[in-house]
Amino acid sequence: MQIAIIAPSPVPFCIGGAENLWWGLLKSINQNTHHQAELIKLPSPERNFWELIDSYKSFSELDLTHFDLVISGKYPGWMVQHPNHICYMLHRLRGLYDTYHFTKYPEIYSSKNQDITALQKFIRSNQGNRNALKEFFERLERLRSNSNCPKDAFQFPGPLIREFVHFLDGIGLASNAINKYAAIAQNVVKRQNYFPLESSVEVIYPPSNIESFRRGNSDYLFTVGRLDSAKRISLLIQAMKYVKTNIQLKIAGTGPDADYLKQLAGEDERIVFLGFVNDQEITNIYADSLAVSYVPYDEDYGLVTIEAMMSGKPVLTTTDAGGPNEFVINSETGYSVPPEPQALAERIDYLCEHRDEAQQMGLTGRKLVAGINWENTVARLLGDKPTTYNSPSIKKRQKITVALTFPVFPPRGGGQSRVFHLYRQIASQFDVELVTFTNADQEAFQGEIAPNLYETRIPKSQQHQEQEWLIEKKVGVPITDVIMPQLYHLTPAYMAALKASVESSDFVVACHPYLLPAIQAVTNKAIWYEAQDVEVELKKGILPNNPIGHELLEITRKIEDECCRLSELIMVCSMDDAKTLHQIYGTDISKILEVPNGVDLETVNYVDIEKRYLNKQKLGLSGSFTAIFMGSWHSPNLEAVWHIFKMAQELPDVNFLVIGSVGLAFRDEPRPANVGFMGAVDEETKNTAFELADVALNPVTFGSGTNLKMLEYFASGIPVISTPTGARGLGIEDGKHCTVVQLENFPEAIANIKYEDLLAREMRVEAAKRLVQEKFDWQAIANNFIHDITCKCFNSKD
């Protein structure tokens, strides 16, 4: 075949990933196949509205019918009309698609200009109609010369150019215009509005044009890329401020942010800027690195990841990096962490301290990408028979579906935090999808919330929501979960999402028992039950002592009993809960695993007593004493706030600060002047409050399971006072880890901490920190769980 590879030539010209892909594709077709190819490029400036429109028009008029096949991959090249057209997509014009929301402009342009509104109406009635192009460009040309058009109509980026480009792309990429859709990464495929609905898109990973890679020493960290904001080199430089190891970070590349980045690096001699490096040099630099750090924001593909793994090096990236996360498997080929300097620094130090592990991850990565070469890429793109592909020696990942009555991300409350952090760690070995409910007035969501951890969030139907509200009004307390067995079927969209998820899953988890009937309605696969509490005991303290309360409590008892009976595996937060389930329902103890609550130590900022005092001194708060309480809108926490009101009246010289959604229940309640509410906050705000607190309180008097707040308090270095109920199930020793007293003794305990010896307070805080590190780190908990289920579930099938 005679093949035309059609592409835009950037103005001003520069060499980027697209150019390397075209050249590699051209060379491979001409040298390794019986086909002949030509690269055809048109100058395509896009510095303003009219340059972009003119570029689209030029490609739409290009006649390439003397070729047998056309391959395009980037706007506006795919406007070429050809009967045999393959789109191998890199990306659309992202500033008018997936990153347009950053502009804060509206999606639709509003104007009283009749010519503009007529053209908008014209394109809406001619979606996908190539015959409308001639009239569209003619009308647009008349607008160009119309001096009465509003000045903001032709801003770029802007809503009108967004409408026009979407219209043009809809024609160029219409299903009747393209014979085959392919993409360079799954990250490109999943972007909204990139491909026509119902179209089949094949992911074909392109290789590097560097022809040979080798493994050398492990001397430094390395990153390479254009020095601009999208590549986020600044994030790595900030991370180096927290890196304890004396290791160099070598940065290759040029770009507009070079001077700023050098200024940011300051006098840190470990950070070395290499400038431009050629292919031979970069091969050697890859070879002798310990690991490659690559942290762009939502990268389409990320060829750096492939080159690093070809060199046998682990890759350190971030959870929002996009394409790199299709290859970075935590603890297997590298690490993907939150896009925070401290999180990156912690993994850098870990890799430096565990060089054998780093080398093994590099080898695994090299096997993973071994089949990504031009021969296979071209064969798959053209539909020729590819050479034998050696699959990586990583076994197929199994999948877990988790059904929940509440949304998970971002985690704010204790239950959300447990689900997010536990399954985020489990996702290092399994693919995990959380299928969650949210209120009817919230948006649906489907996406990756951490590497290999996905959430599909479905709003309740209006009928479902209204029925729930009617019952809640009679009961007087929230009953979203308790009433779910009776109402779940009123949201068909949830059932469809759950069914779709479990069809590709190996295991199904009922997180709390209330969605057991929904799970049973869509699958007969084995069920695991995650019992975060003993629900019947918890609801006894929440539901009213009246007929409707008794009815709901009986519903809870029956569904919990059934879940315990039918589940192949039960996960409990403490063995006390296991014993309670056995006593109430006769549950078989042998199928119960303890999966305690934990803390993500990577994200918690520990502040010792001395630094805590200095923080307060800087803010002029050294004379104040602050007690904090954190909780979600949950009955044990609601009652705890009433107790805090009483404490505040007894201790007017102590400031009480309540964090979390529990405060929303007290918006209209009178409260003491020394009690403040922060509501639900993000992690940064919460950490700031924790850094200034003198004592943390947990005055809960009922509930089951264990309290996550206790572990967060401990991990943050705050002295803690708790009731025995609040300290249950954690192995806490009164006086060693915290102060455990009855509720009536809280004011006295607060006063004692306020005036106690600092050394004694420091020793108690350090002991609490060690307890969390040794027993309640989420990563360790997840690893233990994975080990246990491997022994309990998989071995039982042999």
Side-chain angles (χ1 to χ4, degrees), residues 430 569 590 593 783-798:
F430 294 82
L569 178 74
S590 68
L593 289 179
N783 288 342
N784 290 337
F785 172 70
I786 291 168
H787 174 269
D788 289 344
I789 61 172
T790 301
C791 296
K792 183 180 286 286
C793 294
F794 302 153
N795 290 349
S796 65
K797 297 176 183 179
D798 294 341

Side-chain angles (χ1 to χ4, degrees), residues 63 69 208 213 268 330 412 459 476 559 622 694 754 758 779:
D63 183 2
L69 171 68
S208 170
F213 294 93
D268 190 337
N330 275 328
R412 297 284 171 82
I559 200 73
S622 55
D694 296 286
K754 186 176 181 181
L758 289 181
Q779 185 170 354

Side-chain angles (χ1 to χ4, degrees), residues 36-48:
Q36 292 180 317
E38 176 72 283
L39 175 60
I40 300 174
K41 302 182 78 174
L42 297 183
S44 303
E46 52 181 84
R47 291 164 295 198
N48 58 53

